Amino acid sequence: EVQRERLRTLLRRWTEVDPQGAARWIDAQAYSPEQQEATLAVATAWAGQDFSGALDWVKQWPEDVQQNGFLTVGFEAARKTPREALDLAGTLEEGEGRNRLTLFALKQWAGTDSASAIEWADKLEQSPLRNQAFADIAVGMSEKDPVAAGKLAIEKLEPGEEQGRAVVSIVQR
């Protein structure tokens, strides 16, 4: 485990300096679980500094691992550019991974630009995902504006368990 952590640290630092060089080295390694782990470490570090470059690299991966790569890049991008992460999520296969990325990006966006996050979520079809999106946005914006977060939870969330959890989370902050 210590050796794996050292490799991840080395790869992150290498990627900060030369992401394409780190990616070429990863691409030259034989496939193994360790290589996959290292690949995701480089993708994460690269996405943190150059989302489009990391995305272009993931597009070159074999199809059977691309979805995981897109999610990895998307989650990292959501921290700085949630709108780009949401655009990426919209291109992914429907499912739990896509939903998790969408919700994470909306929550991140709510912390910096809640009006835009709300506007984006308003376009979602009525669904459990939409309800969860508004819950996450409300919680995400509660640090800066707990009154507006509470109002959003009451107005946009369907009455029930999800609404109750969101309101409790908002009050606890």
Side-chain angles (χ1 to χ4, degrees):
E1 184 60 33
V2 171
Q3 190 174 10
R4 290 170 105 179
E5 184 56 36
R6 286 181 180 158
L7 178 60
R8 282 192 297 266
T9 300
L10 174 66
L11 287 170
R12 276 194 301 269
R13 289 184 181 157
W14 186 3
T15 303
E16 289 169 6
V17 176
D18 180 14
Q20 293 170 340
R24 280 191 303 274
W25 182 81
I26 289 290
D27 290 342
Q29 304 307 303
Y31 178 83
S32 69
E34 292 78 15
Q35 184 265 358
Q36 264 313 102
E37 186 178 326
T39 300
L40 294 176
V42 170
T44 300
W46 196 347
Q49 64 187 30
D50 176 14
F51 172 71
S52 61
L55 193 59
D56 288 344
W57 181 47
V58 172
K59 288 176 182 176
Q60 298 172 26
W61 294 4
E63 281 190 39
D64 61 328
V65 294
Q66 272 187 354
Q67 180 83 358
N68 197 19
F70 288 139
L71 288 170
T72 298
V73 167
F75 275 103
E76 187 61 30
R79 298 175 198 285
K80 293 181 181 176
T81 56
R83 178 59 202 237
E84 287 183 338
L86 287 166
D87 290 345
L88 174 61
T91 68
L92 301 178
E93 298 171 14
E94 286 189 35
E96 184 183 338
R98 176 183 176 173
N99 290 349
R100 282 190 354 255
L101 177 55
T102 298
L103 294 171
F104 182 76
L106 282 170
K107 192 171 186 177
Q108 296 299 309
W109 204 4
T112 59
D113 183 0
S114 58
S116 294
I118 292 166
E119 183 180 328
W120 194 94
D122 261 331
K123 295 174 184 168
L124 290 171
E125 293 178 17
Q126 199 67 18
S127 66
L129 176 63
R130 184 178 196 273
N131 207 47
Q132 181 65 51
F134 281 117
D136 286 358
I137 291 168
V139 172
M141 65 189 278
S142 66
E143 287 286 328
K144 289 186 177 179
D145 192 349
V147 173
K151 185 178 177 187
L152 178 70
I154 299 302
E155 291 177 356
K156 293 288 188 177
L157 292 173
E158 296 175 18
E161 221 175 286
E162 194 67 50
Q163 186 185 54
R165 277 195 300 267
V167 170
V168 167
S169 292
I170 292 164
V171 169
Q172 288 176 340
R173 291 179 182 248

